[in-house]
Amino acid sequence: MNKYGSTALVINCGSSSVKFAILDPKDGHTYLSGIAEALGLDEARISWRFEDQDKEKASLGAGAGHDRALEFLVKNIMSQNEELHDSIVSCGHRIVQGGDIYSEPTLIDDEVVANIAKVIPFAPLHNPAHILGIESARKNFPNIPHVAVFDTAFHQTMPPKAYRYAIPETYYTDLHLRKYGAHGTSHMYIAQETAKFLNKPLEETNVITCHLGNGASVSAVKGGKCMDPLAGLVMGTRCGCIDASVVFFLCDRLKMTPEQVKDVFNKESGMLALSGISSDMRPIEEGYIKGEPKCVLAFDIYAYRLAKFIASYYVPLGHVDAISFAGGIGENSDIIRKLTCDLLKEPFGLEIDDELNSKFMGFKGNGSGKISTESSKSAIFMIQTNEELMIARSAMKFVK
């Protein structure tokens, strides 16, 4: 008998990277984790770690792509532990955009790949990379089921009043232009873990889930189903929600092309633009603590925008059992959590416990927990999200 039992390989392909992990879908124990970076460039490289062993790294060769990265995983990394390789019985692929085609994890075949290609316009950076990863993985792991787990699938339960835009109907019917949501796999996990902390069935909980990282989104989850997702927050380099007329103003006044405006809004805005120093929250937080004006303003805007969106989700939910913070920022910035919840204290009776808030921090490795006072009208949690585990469990459902 294989000592690892049955494991799942999880693959997350970005435009120039491949994250991978092999884990036990039952308890989430990770046996191997790693990332290939700078793909397509001269410095293409890969690093990995078996459980608690020291990290190893290697060059993939100038210009190496996704195929070379996964080939290296099979022939060079997995060859160090053939028993672990043999334990893999399924492979789950994170797919950012499934459009309105997919509402659940789906066994990958040629038709699924073609449909992922159809919705590339909604995720032009991510979906092409996902297809490369799928093709490479199917070639290198030909004898196991490959499963697409869509970030947008969890949000397919929202009603038309939440996903339709107030624009001509033909844009929706012909172009499928609507709200789709982001980070759905993470929001699903956060909602499930929050229900466990509340000691209530998921079907009886109303939760606002906040996935806060370099990319960020918030979802209203009622009875385990998404009612309304949002991706309009201030992010690392993205501006978030903005008046559409700003686009025309920049094109008219500065003679910018729409492509140039898109680059500014996606790559030069957000916390990078506000702080003037970085898109990474850590140095901005240091500046906030020191009282540097731009960093203080950046944090104030981030928390204010987040608090406003959380407040708006009391409408679709009616009542809120809990608000949960997750993601790199949500798990590691007690300042953002406190600033946000303090803005919600007077209108909604939220009270954060300063001691618990500083205790539950992702980088401290002490897990997830409640960070609100007993008198808070809604519970507040820090939840360490685990998208890989959700993807692995979804992939295992297709193992016969």
Side-chain angles (χ1 to χ4, degrees), residues 243-297:
D243 192 320
S245 64
V246 175
V247 177
F248 312 120
F249 177 87
L250 292 175
C251 290
D252 292 340
R253 182 64 63 88
L254 300 181
K255 307 304 178 186
M256 296 173 70
T257 66
E259 192 68 25
Q260 288 173 324
V261 176
K262 182 174 75 172
D263 282 345
V264 169
F265 284 179
N266 286 321
K267 300 176 182 178
E268 301 174 22
S269 300
M271 297 300 280
L272 173 64
L274 291 172
S275 69
I277 59 171
S278 178
S279 62
D280 188 321
M281 288 292 275
R282 286 165 291 193
I284 303 174
E285 185 166 298
E286 291 176 4
Y288 174 87
I289 293 171
K290 294 176 182 177
E292 295 174 6
K294 287 187 176 180
C295 294
V296 171
L297 178 61

Side-chain angles (χ1 to χ4, degrees), residues 22-100:
I22 299 173
L23 62 157
D24 184 335
K26 296 185 181 70
D27 60 12
H29 183 83
T30 301
Y31 297 108
L32 170 72
S33 60
I35 182 171
E37 302 174 279
L39 299 180
L41 304 177
D42 290 344
E43 61 271 26
R45 60 191 180 273
I46 190 168
S47 59
W48 67 96
R49 185 197 307 274
F50 283 102
E51 298 194 72
D52 297 327
Q53 295 180 14
D54 293 336
K55 181 183 291 186
E56 299 183 60
K57 54 187 176 180
S59 170
L60 289 171
H66 296 74
D67 190 58
R68 171 61 183 143
L70 289 169
E71 183 182 273
F72 190 96
L73 169 63
V74 175
K75 295 183 178 180
N76 298 81
I77 300 176
M78 296 310 304
S79 62
Q80 299 177 39
N81 192 329
E82 292 187 4
E83 191 171 8
L84 180 58
H85 176 278
D86 294 342
S87 73
I88 300 172
V89 296
S90 63
C91 180
H93 296 260
R94 181 213 177 195
I95 309 297
V96 164
Q97 180 60 258
D100 54 7

Side-chain angles (χ1 to χ4, degrees), residues 163-351:
Y163 68 69
R164 284 289 299 272
Y165 294 130
I167 55 178
E169 187 175 13
T170 54
Y171 296 158
Y172 168 66
T173 55
D174 298 348
L175 303 176
H176 303 278
L177 192 58
R178 48 161 282 184
K179 184 192 290 188
Y180 286 104
H183 309 114
T185 307
S186 178
H187 286 292
M188 184 192 305
Y189 180 84
I190 300 165
Q192 291 176 0
E193 291 300 299
T194 302
K196 291 178 184 177
F197 273 111
L198 292 170
N199 197 28
K200 294 178 64 175
L202 180 63
E203 297 75 17
E204 298 176 11
T205 62
N206 286 3
V207 181
I208 298 174
T209 55
C210 306
H211 178 101
L212 310 177
N214 194 50
S217 58
V218 180
S219 287
V221 185
K222 187 180 185 71
K225 296 181 179 181
C226 176
M227 293 291 102
D228 199 344
L230 172 95
L233 300 170
V234 174
M235 306 186 207
T237 61
R238 285 173 278 182
C239 62
C241 290
I242 194 166
D243 192 320
S245 64
V246 175
V247 177
F248 312 120
F249 177 87
L250 292 175
C251 290
D252 292 340
R253 182 64 63 88
L254 300 181
K255 307 304 178 186
M256 296 173 70
T257 66
E259 192 68 25
Q260 288 173 324
V261 176
K262 182 174 75 172
D263 282 345
V264 169
F265 284 179
N266 286 321
K267 300 176 182 178
E268 301 174 22
S269 300
M271 297 300 280
L272 173 64
L274 291 172
S275 69
I277 59 171
S278 178
S279 62
D280 188 321
M281 288 292 275
R282 286 165 291 193
I284 303 174
E285 185 166 298
E286 291 176 4
Y288 174 87
I289 293 171
K290 294 176 182 177
E292 295 174 6
K294 287 187 176 180
C295 294
V296 171
L297 178 61
F299 258 52
D300 285 345
I301 290 175
Y302 190 99
Y304 176 69
R305 183 80 65 89
L306 176 57
K308 283 207 304 178
F309 283 130
I310 290 174
S312 71
Y313 279 166
Y314 277 73
V315 174
L317 292 180
H319 76 275
V320 175
D321 294 307
I323 297 165
S324 292
F325 295 89
I329 296 169
E331 295 170 24
N332 291 294
S333 179
D334 54 340
I335 295 176
I336 285 294
R337 296 192 303 242
K338 179 172 174 53
L339 287 175
T340 302
C341 292
D342 282 351
L343 289 170
L344 297 165
K345 181 176 181 179
E346 184 174 346
F348 299 106
L350 297 185
E351 292 184 3

